[in-house]
């Protein structure tokens, strides 16, 4: 049996793009940071994202019937942290505006408008297979990526020093 810790440590080695997924529901913007954005299909253009099945954003996406993907640039780690933290009003700390009725972050270099086609439960998350109805943004910044539990970009990623012998012994003891 794989432990949760083993799985998390393995997945920490997989670099992912960083995006803030947004929706508008009940007259308010909703959003969260995700590292699960992936291309699914070219014809038609589709992406996948995974959201925690308990997340308020998933509920908002279900009600709104669509969502936005703000692809973050290398200088936006603080924005990613804001939308990943349990902050009561994440949008109070971000410059944004409505675009097709969806919250769009002003400085995000990439933008997608998506319509979920299928929602598939998987463990503690729900996978959204979604049609892309619009692509926007400048894509002028290097992409923000997440790997080894830190933000960076694929061209400026610096290796972390190896774990100390004490940390390795502690890891085996778990």
């Amino acid at each position: 049996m794989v432990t949760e810790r083993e799985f998390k440590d393995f997945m920490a080695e997989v670099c992912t793009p960083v995006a803030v997924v947004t929706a508008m529901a009940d007259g308010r913007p909703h959003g969260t940071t995700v590292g699960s954005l992936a291309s699914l299909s070219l014809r038609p253009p589709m992406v996948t994202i995974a959201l925690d099945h308990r997340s308020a954003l998933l509920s908002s996406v279900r009600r709104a019937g669509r969502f936005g993907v703000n692809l973050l640039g290398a200088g936006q780690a603080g924005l990613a942290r804001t939308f990943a933290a349990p902050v009561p009003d994440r949008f109070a700390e971000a410059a944004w505006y409505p675009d097709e009725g969806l919250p769009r972050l002003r400085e995000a270099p990439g933008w997608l408008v998506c319509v979920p086609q299928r929602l598939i439960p998987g463990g503690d998350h729900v996978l959204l297979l979604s049609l892309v109805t619009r692509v926007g943004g400048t894509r002028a910044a290097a992409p923000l990526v997440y790997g080894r539990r830190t933000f960076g970009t694929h061209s400026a990623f610096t290796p972390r020093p190896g774990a100390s012998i004490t940390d390795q012994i502690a890891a085996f003891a778990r």
Side-chain angles (χ1 to χ4, degrees):
M1 182 71 172
V2 174
T3 68
E4 187 173 307
R5 182 56 159 186
E6 290 172 324
F7 182 65
K8 286 176 78 174
D9 287 347
F10 179 87
M11 291 307 297
E13 299 298 314
V14 179
C15 288
T16 64
V18 181
V20 172
V21 173
T22 60
M24 188 70 82
D26 306 320
R28 293 184 322 119
H30 302 270
T32 194
T33 300
V34 301
S36 60
L37 173 66
S39 175
L40 174 65
S41 168
L42 182 59
R43 291 177 299 272
M46 294 183 75
V47 296
T48 65
I49 64 163
L51 296 174
D52 188 303
H53 68 92
R54 300 165 299 171
S55 79
L57 181 61
L58 178 60
S59 177
S60 297
V61 168
R62 287 180 193 266
R63 290 195 308 276
R66 60 195 187 126
F67 62 90
V69 175
N70 296 271
L71 187 62
L72 300 186
Q76 297 181 304
L79 198 55
R81 286 187 195 94
T82 296
F83 278 88
V87 177
D89 184 4
R90 296 169 174 162
F91 287 90
E93 300 180 31
W96 68 279
Y97 61 98
D99 185 331
E100 294 191 29
L102 296 167
R104 180 172 176 178
L105 301 178
R106 189 163 302 282
E107 302 299 326
W111 170 247
L112 299 177
V113 175
C114 302
V115 176
Q117 303 296 293
R118 290 186 61 200
L119 280 65
I120 302 170
D124 57 6
H125 278 62
V126 174
L127 187 63
L128 287 76
L129 310 182
S130 304
L131 181 67
V132 176
T133 61
R134 189 167 146 231
V135 176
T138 63
R139 290 178 293 288
L144 182 65
V145 297
Y146 188 75
R148 292 190 173 180
R149 297 183 175 99
T150 190
F151 292 105
T153 190
H154 67 289
S155 59
F157 193 82
T158 56
R160 291 184 356 188
S164 70
I165 189 68
T166 306
D167 290 339
Q168 292 178 26
I169 291 170
F172 282 113
R174 286 183 229 143

